[in-house]
């Protein structure tokens, strides 16, 4: 069964950067479209970014476009989220998951534990 382990979160000042990693199990990782999501306390989980298996296609929510970059290393079964120019409103628990497509990033039912990102002002 697929396992998703997010890491790299932490506390950073506004304007700073963090790089999140998501390690996934499975022999078909390179064929999976991967997405990043985040959830703040009391709020719905929201889409952040997605990347196709070949890295040809990427997609970002309007709130992070131009600041975040999603990438992947299929040899390591890992997807990354480089977060620059962080804002306090980026504070959330960040999750990765497989998604249907970059243009329709509906996530799978199985979530990892996420990694906490806190941006201070």
């Amino acid at each position: 069964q697929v396992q998703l382990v997010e890491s790299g979160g932490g506390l950073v000042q506004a304007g700073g950067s963090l790089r999140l990693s998501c390690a996934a199990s499975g022999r078909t990782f390179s064929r999976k479209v991967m997405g990043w999501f985040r959830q703040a306390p009391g709020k719905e989980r929201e889409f952040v970014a997605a990347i196709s298996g070949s890295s040809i296609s990427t997609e970002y929510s309007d709130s992070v476009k131009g600041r975040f970059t999603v990438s992947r290393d299929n040899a390591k079964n890992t997807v990354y989220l480089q977060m620059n120019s962080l804002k306090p409103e980026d504070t959330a628990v960040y999750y990765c998951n497989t998604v249907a497509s970059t243009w329709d990033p509906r996530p799978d039912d199985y979530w990892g534990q996420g990694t906490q990102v806190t941006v201070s002002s």
Side-chain angles (χ1 to χ4, degrees), residues 1-6 21-25 29 31-38 45-53 70-72 78-81 94-102 104-114:
Q1 186 174 354
V2 63
Q3 299 288 324
L4 301 167
V5 181
E6 300 92 343
S21 297
C22 171
S25 66
F29 176 78
R31 300 181 181 179
K32 302 294 185 181
V33 183
M34 299 298 298
W36 284 97
F37 301 79
R38 66 187 183 186
R45 181 174 284 145
E46 66 173 338
F47 169 76
V48 175
I51 184 168
S52 64
V70 62
S71 62
R72 66 193 295 162
T78 301
V79 61
Y80 305 96
L81 186 67
Y94 283 71
Y95 303 86
C96 65
N97 208 341
T98 58
V99 298
S101 67
T102 57
D104 185 19
R106 291 173 291 171
D108 204 350
D109 294 333
Y110 307 102
W111 296 88
Q113 297 302 305

Side-chain angles (χ1 to χ4, degrees), residues 6-117:
E6 300 92 343
S7 62
L11 175 64
V12 65
Q13 291 184 324
S17 299
L18 283 174
R19 188 191 189 216
L20 307 184
S21 297
C22 171
S25 66
R27 56 189 177 183
T28 60
F29 176 78
S30 64
R31 300 181 181 179
K32 302 294 185 181
V33 183
M34 299 298 298
W36 284 97
F37 301 79
R38 66 187 183 186
Q39 187 171 27
K43 296 184 178 180
E44 296 288 324
R45 181 174 284 145
E46 66 173 338
F47 169 76
V48 175
I51 184 168
S52 64
S54 64
S55 299
I56 292 177
S57 299
T58 58
E59 185 63 36
Y60 301 91
S61 68
D62 290 339
S63 62
V64 308
K65 192 174 298 181
R67 300 187 298 120
F68 291 10
T69 303
V70 62
S71 62
R72 66 193 295 162
D73 185 342
N74 288 340
K76 297 181 178 180
N77 272 29
T78 301
V79 61
Y80 305 96
L81 186 67
Q82 178 67 46
M83 306 185 296
N84 298 325
S85 301
L86 283 162
K87 305 174 181 179
E89 50 262 47
D90 295 319
T91 295
V93 178
Y94 283 71
Y95 303 86
C96 65
N97 208 341
T98 58
V99 298
S101 67
T102 57
W103 59 91
D104 185 19
R106 291 173 291 171
D108 204 350
D109 294 333
Y110 307 102
W111 296 88
Q113 297 302 305
T115 185
Q116 176 72 49
V117 172

